[in-house]
Amino acid sequence: MRPDVHRWLRRRTYSAASWTAAGLAEAKRAQGSTVSVVLPALDEEATVGTIVRAIRADLVERDPLVDEVVVVDSGSSDRTAAVARAAGARVVDTGTVLPDHGRVPGKGEALWKALHATSGDLVVFVDADLVGFDPQYVVGLVGPLLTDPGIGYVKALYDRPLTTTEGIVPSGGGRVTELLARPLLNAFWPELSGFVQPLSGEYAGRRALLERVPFVSGYGVEFGLLVDLAGLAGVDALAQVDLGTRQHAHQSDAALGRMAGQILQTAMARRPGAGLPASELLQFLRTADGVEAVSWDVAVSERPPMATVRAAASGGR
Ligand SMILES: O=c1ccn([C@@H]2O[C@H](COP(=O)(O)OP(=O)(O)O[C@H]3O[C@H](CO)[C@@H](O)[C@H](O)[C@H]3O)[C@@H](O)[C@H]2O)c(=O)[nH]1
Ligand SMILES: O=C(O)[C@H](O)COP(=O)(O)O
């Protein structure tokens, strides 16, 4: 493993259990800062209400850590907006924000417009399709930001079970992460290879930083933010926090193929220079103490066309 990645992993990987909502609410009050939680949602009536209610009960009413909970409705055709409103969220329709800029489909657009429609100094993004959501996710994500001024952006890490018709596969989730995003990141941005879940949809950042980078539309947004924020603020300003386990609604393989296509577009638009990709691939295993990085060499050899081998063997005869 690269020494810089090893150092970053030890220095910038946290556990959500390190903080309490009450402790962070006090730190936030002392700093005079504010926190917005944003849930991007497209047809999430089944889960959005439970998540909003949990955040409001624990982090608005019990411990005042969160100042606003906003659901950004990105064109739902179900009762997402009504359910979110009934649970106590402010609901913003992407079509009504910055109308002069038109409306681009996808998740990244919802996040970009949410940045305009909210005011917190810290902005926390949480997917609206989570099952078994725990408000401690939000506590963990803002923990590093409220306790270390050197940190500007925090991504979630967690185990990702895959729920199938045959049952739950404990580490089967995150298919686009494992098959595309991680290999891409390791090859072209190896300094970011310590991120256990580079595509996690739960993350928090300082508004002052988030407003200085572009937001890619669709599912390129997480990959773009990671690369662009590292470029802007440096890898040491980025951190990750262990939230335990996260379950969500899975998309079909075909839909994940389209997601992968958008991430590839995002990565290629940012690819540094034309140098050869790095050949080390870091993957992660859950251990009793947290997560352990395992390093693989994925270098390949290019064997020459057989015709040239035959020609050489026959001495050109
Ligand atoms: O046009 C859209 C599509 C999705 N969403 C919402 O965005 C969240 C995440 O979308 P989802 O389709 O559940 O993504 P995943 O299959 O979970 O994809 C993972 O990988 C993506 C690519 O990095 C991330 O955007 C996701 O947050 C991450 O969970 C959910 O609340 C959706 O309702 C929108 O608001 N608008
Ligand atoms: O983050 C990912 O890799 C994709 O969202 C796919 O996740 P899943 O395999 O858990 O559905």
Side-chain angles (χ1 to χ4, degrees):
M1 191 191 317
R2 288 164 50 124
D4 59 326
V5 173
H6 187 252
R7 255 194 320 275
W8 180 86
L9 269 168
R10 292 178 65 106
R11 183 172 147 81
R12 293 303 194 204
T13 303
Y14 299 88
S15 165
S18 304
W19 298 284
T20 63
L24 289 183
E26 177 50 29
K28 187 194 75 156
R29 195 198 55 76
Q31 291 169 27
S33 61
T34 49
V35 175
S36 302
V37 175
V38 170
L39 292 94
L42 176 63
D43 294 333
E44 306 290 7
E45 65 178 11
T47 43
V48 71
T50 311
I51 302 172
V52 169
R53 262 193 305 279
I55 295 173
R56 285 199 53 87
D58 286 16
L59 308 179
V60 176
E61 280 141 28
R62 194 191 67 202
D63 296 305
L65 178 60
V66 169
D67 298 278
E68 59 176 351
V69 184
V70 176
V71 169
V72 199
D73 187 349
S74 103
S76 300
S77 52
D78 70 359
R79 298 184 62 254
T80 291
V83 169
R85 216 171 273 120
R90 174 157 70 89
V91 177
V92 173
D93 185 319
T94 50
T96 64
V97 182
L98 294 172
D100 294 350
H101 289 257
R103 188 176 186 156
V104 177
K107 181 188 174 187
E109 171 84 350
L111 301 190
W112 183 64
K113 291 200 165 172
L115 207 50
H116 186 74
T118 55
S119 61
D121 303 310
L122 307 183
V123 186
V124 185
F125 297 104
V126 176
D127 282 356
D129 66 336
L130 302 188
V131 178
F133 169 80
D134 185 339
Q136 191 66 20
Y137 286 6
V138 175
V139 174
L141 288 166
V142 295
L145 295 168
L146 285 170
T147 53
D148 187 337
I151 295 177
Y153 185 64
V154 182
K155 285 216 65 137
L157 82 87
Y158 30 55
D159 296 341
R160 300 188 60 166
L162 181 69
T163 310
T164 71
T165 45
E166 278 95 51
I168 293 179
V169 185
S171 317
R175 292 163 286 170
V176 178
T177 303
E178 300 306 334
L179 298 177
L180 178 76
R182 191 185 312 288
L184 260 180
L185 211 53
N186 278 255
F188 296 115
W189 294 274
E191 67 279 11
L192 297 175
S193 60
F195 277 91
V196 180
Q197 293 295 340
L199 299 188
S200 56
E202 294 69 39
Y203 41 95
R206 296 187 194 280
R207 174 175 297 276
L209 263 187
L210 292 171
E211 292 199 348
R212 290 173 61 202
V213 288
F215 274 56
V216 180
S217 71
Y219 290 115
V221 64
E222 281 76 26
F223 200 98
L225 282 175
L226 193 55
V227 168
D228 293 345
L229 288 168
L232 177 67
V235 184
D236 197 52
L238 275 44
Q240 61 186 352
V241 62
D242 193 342
L243 304 185
T245 302
R246 178 254 210 188
Q247 275 179 275
H248 71 135
H250 298 289
Q251 301 199 44
S252 67
D253 287 356
L256 293 183
R258 296 190 287 276
M259 176 190 288
Q262 294 182 342
I263 292 169
L264 191 60
Q265 295 281 327
T266 307
M268 290 299 104
R270 288 165 170 71
R271 202 188 131 190
L276 279 179
S279 67
E280 183 183 30
L281 176 66
L282 279 193
Q283 296 179 322
F284 296 89
L285 290 176
R286 171 63 73 185
T287 67
D289 305 326
V291 286
E292 182 190 320
V294 183
S295 167
W296 300 92
D297 186 353
V298 294
V300 291
S301 304
E302 301 269 355
R303 303 303 248 153
M306 193 53 77
T308 64
V309 177
R310 290 197 203 288
S314 63
R317 276 176 275 125

